[in-house]
């Protein structure tokens, strides 16, 4: 850490993927705020896109690494408080977290770790996505991909999620580590199809405006031009 701090004076600009992480790293590494620039993530929209929801019932999806810090256990507790809600989960499960998956697997429908095509199909097939992380997430790529598939999100109000939802309007925020509040937000979307469609449409439009590959490229070039 001290070696990193000693080299800061030699760096013209640092790049963070979110406003949250820019603020966090200035304090963590002692970087002057003026040296930190935000270049939001951009995603490739090829193969991603919305589709009509044809399934029966109401599906809540979780798509992330199956590990305690991603908060799957919070989502299971929230969904089990609700009537008429089906929980689906997908994501890579590291060997050290196999016991964690085994503990919860019977209380959801687990789809394994699908490829890109399978991921798009999974996200399109959900009514709402929620990854209620304990870890304070600086990126949230799964949120962007969910929006690209027209699916709204319910996320904890920490890390990069507040600014992402502020930019797009594509979901609801709840207090972190609060299954009761999470259940209430999911129930709100379950019971209001018009709101689900509105948030999904906002998310899709917002991700294409703010989180495209082109937008990321423009922001990165602005950093280089600014320090050239």
């Amino acid at each position: 850490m001290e070696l990193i701090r000693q080299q800061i004076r030699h760096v013209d600009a640092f790049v963070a993927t979110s406003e949250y992480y820019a603020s966090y790293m200035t304090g963590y590494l002692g970087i002057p705020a003026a040296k930190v620039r935000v270049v939001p993530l951009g995603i490739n929209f090829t193969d991603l896109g919305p589709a009509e929801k044809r399934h029966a019932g109401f599906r809540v999806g979780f798509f992330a690494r199956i590990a305690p810090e991603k908060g799957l256990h919070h989502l299971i507790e929230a969904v089990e408080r609700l009537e008429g809600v089906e929980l689906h989960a997908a994501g890579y499960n590291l060997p050290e977290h196999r016991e964690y998956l085994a503990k919860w697997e019977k209380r959801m429908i687990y789809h394994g770790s699908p490829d890109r095509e399978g991921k798009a199909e999974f996200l399109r097939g959900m009514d709402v996505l929620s990854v209620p992380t304990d870890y304070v997430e600086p990126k949230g790529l799964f949120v962007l991909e969910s929006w690209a598939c027209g699916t709204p999100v319910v996320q904890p109000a920490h890390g990069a999620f507040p600014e992402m939802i502020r930019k797009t309007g594509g979901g609801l925020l709840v207090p972190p580590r609060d299954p009761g509040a999470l259940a209430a937000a999911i129930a709100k979307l379950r019971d209001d199809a018009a709101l689900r469609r509105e948030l999904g449409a906002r998310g899709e439009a917002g991700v294409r405006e703010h989180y495209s590959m082109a937008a990321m490229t423009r922001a990165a070039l602005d950093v280089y031009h600014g320090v050239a």
Side-chain angles (χ1 to χ4, degrees):
M1 293 297 296
E2 186 55 35
L3 286 172
I4 292 172
R5 293 184 179 112
Q6 289 173 10
Q7 304 308 312
I8 288 171
R9 67 184 186 277
H10 302 301
V11 178
D12 293 306
F14 293 84
V15 173
T17 56
S18 62
E19 296 168 13
Y20 156 73
Y21 213 49
S23 175
Y24 175 80
M25 293 305 289
T26 57
Y28 185 60
L29 292 176
I31 304 171
K35 279 195 171 189
V36 183
R37 302 286 295 277
V38 176
V39 177
L41 293 174
I43 64 171
N44 182 352
F45 296 112
T46 303
D47 301 326
L48 300 179
E52 184 180 352
K53 312 290 186 185
R54 296 183 178 275
H55 55 267
F58 185 81
R59 293 182 180 179
V60 175
F62 174 100
F63 196 104
R65 185 163 38 87
I66 307 297
E69 62 269 21
K70 293 296 186 179
L72 176 59
H73 51 288
H74 297 313
L75 185 58
I76 289 172
E77 183 178 342
V79 167
E80 289 182 346
R81 299 181 182 203
L82 302 172
E83 296 289 338
V85 176
E86 194 172 82
L87 176 59
H88 295 251
Y92 182 61
N93 183 225
L94 290 165
E96 59 263 37
H97 295 135
R98 296 283 162 79
E99 289 186 7
Y100 176 78
L101 173 61
K103 179 180 179 179
W104 302 109
E105 191 169 6
K106 292 182 179 179
R107 296 162 71 174
M108 61 184 180
I109 300 170
Y110 179 54
H111 296 252
S113 182
D115 59 14
R116 182 176 175 83
E117 182 180 353
K119 174 168 61 176
E121 182 179 356
F122 177 89
L123 293 171
R124 281 193 288 264
M126 297 300 114
D127 294 292
V128 61
L129 179 86
S130 183
V131 182
T133 60
D134 284 340
Y135 171 65
V136 183
E137 175 65 62
K139 300 185 298 294
L141 184 63
F142 43 80
V143 169
L144 304 182
E145 292 173 333
S146 181
W147 284 334
C149 293
T151 301
V153 302
V154 176
Q155 289 300 117
H158 63 190
F161 302 133
E163 68 197 73
M164 295 168 75
I165 289 177
R166 183 182 71 243
K167 283 182 179 180
T168 66
L172 303 177
L173 292 169
V174 297
R177 303 177 186 86
D178 188 338
L182 182 58
I186 292 171
K188 182 175 182 178
L189 293 180
R190 177 198 61 190
D191 298 338
D192 193 336
L195 178 60
R196 290 201 306 274
R197 289 192 295 269
E198 179 183 348
L199 295 183
R202 286 181 184 175
E204 186 195 358
V207 75
R208 291 180 179 276
E209 178 180 358
H210 298 288
Y211 296 99
S212 67
M213 296 289 284
M216 181 175 67
T217 301
R218 289 193 298 269
L221 288 173
D222 285 345
V223 174
Y224 287 116
H225 291 156
V227 300

